[in-house]
Structures are given as C-alpha cells and as structure tokens.
Amino acid sequence: MAIDSLFKDEATEEKGERARMASFIGAMAIADLVKTTLGPKGMDKILQSTGRGHSVTVTNDGATILKSLHIDNPAAKVLVDISKVQDDEVGDGTTSVVVLAGELLREAEKLVNSKIHPMTIIAGYRMAAETARNALLERVMDNKQDSEKFKEDLLKIATTTLSSKILSQDKEHFAKLAVDAVMRLKGSTNLESIQIIKKPGGSLKDSFLDEGFILDKKIGVGQPKRIENANILVANTAMDTDKVKIYGARVRVDSMAKVAEIEGAEKEKMREKVQKIINHGINCFVNRQLIYNFPEELFADAGVLAIEHADFDGIERLALVTGGEIASTFDNPESVKLGHCKLIEEIMIGEDKLIHFSGVEMGQACTIVLRGASPHMLDEAERSLHDALCVLSQTVNDSRVLLGGGWPEMVMAKAVDELARRTPGKRSHAIEAFSRALVAIPTTISDNAGLDSAEMVAQLRAEHQKGESSAGIDVISGSVGNMAELGISESFKVKQAVLLSATEAAEMILRVDEIITCAPRKREDRM
C-alpha cells in the first residue's frame, strides 16, 4: 500500500530532478539580476519599497540590492547570504561572488544533465578552487616594506573599487580621501572612528576630509561658541528633573506654597547635580539626553558649553575620539575619565551649523563630509565610500595585491585548464567547467561595457597563453590593455573571499536533492 502523502495539508515537497532544477534556476536568476551591475560600466538599479513613504534607493552595490529583495526560492537565499557575508567581511566583490556562484551552478547543471553525479562535480570544483587560489598566490605583489609604493597600491585599489560606483567621475579625489582616512587608522580595521556626515548641497567634488571630529548639533543659548583646551565630560544622564514628574502618584497639599516647595526641592536637586558636574573641572558637557532650560542656564553661568541630545552613535564616537569615557554618576570626580581636545568651535557646512572638535586625543579619528545634489546620491556615495574604506583597511593588514580588470580570473582559468588536462576520469569535466565559470566574470565586464565579449575573452586568453602576461580588459578604450600600466589593482583578500565563498555556496546548492516546504502551524481556536 503506497502512502499518498506523508505530510500534512499545505506542505509540499519536490524531489530529485525537480528539486535540483528549482535550486539551479533560482540561483541563476539571482545572478542574472545583479550581473548588469558588474564592472566600471555596470548600471544601477532603483529599489522602491511598497511600504509607507515609498522610499527609493538607487544603487549598484550587489549586497544592498540583494538585501532589499524578499525571495522565496531557498537556493537564491543562499546566494543573498554569501553576498551579505562578503560585504561584512571585505566590503567589496559582493556582485562578483554572486555572479561566479551563479555561473558555477549553470555549468554544473549541464554536467548533471549529461549524467555526472553531483558529488563528482563537487570533488572537481574543490580541486579547481585550490589550484586557482595557488595560481593567484604565485602572482601576488606585496609592497608592505616600501611605504611609498604601498601607498600607491592603496590608491590604485581605491580607484579601482570606486570606478564601478557612482563616485567614478571623481574617483581620484575620493580615492585620496579614503586612503588618507585609512592611513590614519594605523592598521586597525575599526571603521567606527571614521565618521561620515552627509550634507545635501554642493557637488560631490566639494566633499572633504576633516582631521577632527564633527558633531551634528547646535551650541546652546548664551554659551561660549569657542573653547580652547577643552576638558570634555561625555555623559548619558537625565537632566530634566527640575519639573515635577511624579507619574501615577498623588500629592495632596494644603496650599500653593507647598507646591512651590516641591518645585523648589526639585530645582535644588538639579542645582546640586549641575554643581557636581561642574566640579569635575570641565568646560564642555555633552549629554545624550535632554538638558532642560534651568540646568542649561546654570551651565551657561558657569561658562560651560553644554550640548544636549547628542545621539548614541555621536557620544560613543566622541568618547572614543577624545579619550574619555561615558559617565552616568558624578559623585566621585577622580574616577571619571575626561576627554580632551585643543579646540571646540562652531562651523558652517552649507546651511547648517555643526560643532567641530579639533586636535583630539586619538589622532586616528577623522570625519569625511560628503556633499551632493540629493539624499539618494549621498546615500549611494556613502555606500561606495564605505566599500572602499573596508577594502583598504583589510589591505593594510593583508598587503598582498593583484592586478584587476579580469586579469585574476584569466590567471586562475589558465591554471585550472592545465589541471583539467592532467586529471583522469570524470572529474576533469567538472574542472573544465570551473574554468569556464571563471571566464564568465571578464565576459560580463565586457558585455556590460557594450564590447564584443567573445572576441575580447579570446584575445585575453591568447595573451595569457604567451606566459607571464598582465593583460586585462580595458573598458575605457574597449580593448585588451596592460593592467600594470593602467594601474588597475585589486586586493588579494577580496579575490580569495570571492573564489572560496562562491565555490562553497555552489557546492551547498549542488548537494540538494529534495526541497520540503512546511505549512505554518495553525492556531487552534480556543472557543
């Protein structure tokens, strides 16, 4: 007797061929979706939410596009996740990793159709990935010792990263900004101390890097607008208790005089607290919460600059930068660590007033102020710059550099092809397929630039067969160019992450032979 259905209603299962088909198609569809954003001539996508406000995002950052999609296909979700991880880990290569994984699956589908077992394909892919990585390792350049050359490498990497983004018009300007900012970090990968402030107005060219720290707040009424050699107390405490706030409690009084007494007591309490704060010997007080008019007056009388409502990111960063700690109790001033800076003043950027802290304790902090025509433009510029900063901070730690423009893929493909010729058995088909998938990246780059990709890739392959060639695709002139002369470089860490993540994701999807979709658990009626 055959069991008709093992699962409850509404649950579905797909087996064998159909399950594999569903995963392949889902993954390839996702890869085709972001494929057009790859390379310096890649196009942007508009993402519009259907929620309130119909917010619009214009972007060509693979991870941002995929993060915003709500996807039903399980295999497609795996690709979305690898692009997210790539974004968190190294910042760039989010599109390449998805395109490569999609191509590996497209090749695998052909092999599965010609009756090669998925495990054989996986074994071949594993060998190919290892060989490809070793081929790159043989050809890396490392200029860590020579600081001048290393800085040039960083500039080239930043320019290459930015050339596929919205900032490509002013890429030299922004590459310099990004390299200066990362050089100040002195090898830490903590991008927290690089603050990016976006101010609409002006053009992208007006963006600049500021040595100090800029807080997007205004200075209170009647307080000094400029303080030299500031001692800063950064706090997170309630400064609004001079009004009676007794929620849900009842106070019965005989006369108005008693109410005045209660208010007087509250004020006294506040005055004591302000006095305690001033006793720290400070001349600038930054609070995360509100500061009411009364304590503000007291601070102004004492000549202390009080800044209220500095949002949490703001005070966290400010504490980090000025070398202070966030305080919430003020009873023993000796245990509180104050922040210091040489000068606090009010500056104008565009229409807005901001507070500028210069000469801060931690020299590695800086603020990048982005200007631009519209908020959408600024958001995209921030994403692009963030990618560049991530890649640079990773490269400072792992200083191995490769050429860009489809060169690494061709080097890997050549090594993998040679491996396929040496390998006996069915695995060699899988290894050959891996090399075809790698060539898909230069193919896509030239397709997006409107070039004849078949012709370009054939020329590239011929160049690379000659020996140690540094040929890649020069999309600007539309021909095969010398990447070393054009100064197109990429970080080894990014390429390695792309190669390994894409291979592992493709393996994972290849192993699938059944998809079971469960029905949601129904709520029982308690009537």
Side-chain angles (χ1 to χ4, degrees), residues 9-26:
D9 303 343
E10 290 185 41
T12 56
E13 62 169 332
E14 295 189 359
K15 282 196 168 148
E17 206 50 43
R18 287 195 56 184
R20 197 166 288 125
M21 219 35 219
S23 354
F24 284 158
I25 288 173

Side-chain angles (χ1 to χ4, degrees), residues 368-494:
I368 296 177
V369 179
L370 289 178
R371 309 298 311 276
S374 71
H376 301 139
M377 187 113 173
L378 286 173
D379 289 344
E380 176 63 356
E382 182 187 20
R383 276 191 291 272
S384 314
L385 199 59
H386 183 259
D387 281 5
L389 291 172
C390 284
V391 175
L392 289 175
S393 66
Q394 294 290 346
T395 313
V396 170
N397 282 358
D398 181 347
S399 57
R400 293 173 290 185
V401 176
L402 296 162
L403 297 173
W407 176 86
E409 283 77 17
M410 294 314 280
V411 170
M412 293 192 278
K414 184 182 166 193
V416 171
D417 264 339
E418 283 162 12
L419 174 73
R421 291 197 201 102
R422 292 196 306 272
T423 309
K426 281 185 179 176
R427 275 184 306 188
S428 62
H429 295 295
I431 298 172
E432 236 170 82
F434 193 92
S435 131
R436 284 199 297 276
L438 282 170
V439 175
I441 287 191
T443 311
T444 309
I445 291 177
S446 57
D447 274 343
N448 287 348
L451 307 171
D452 180 354
S453 55
E455 172 71 18
M456 293 290 286
V457 172
Q459 282 183 14
L460 256 185
R461 188 177 275 135
E463 281 292 319
H464 277 268
Q465 286 304 330
K466 290 177 191 168
E468 299 272 307
S469 156
S470 55
I473 294 175
D474 175 8
V475 286
I476 308 302
S477 70
S479 60
V480 171
N482 183 338
M483 293 293 121
E485 285 167 17
L486 291 167
I488 296 177
S489 304
E490 294 190 51
S491 162
F492 169 73
K493 196 160 180 186
V494 173

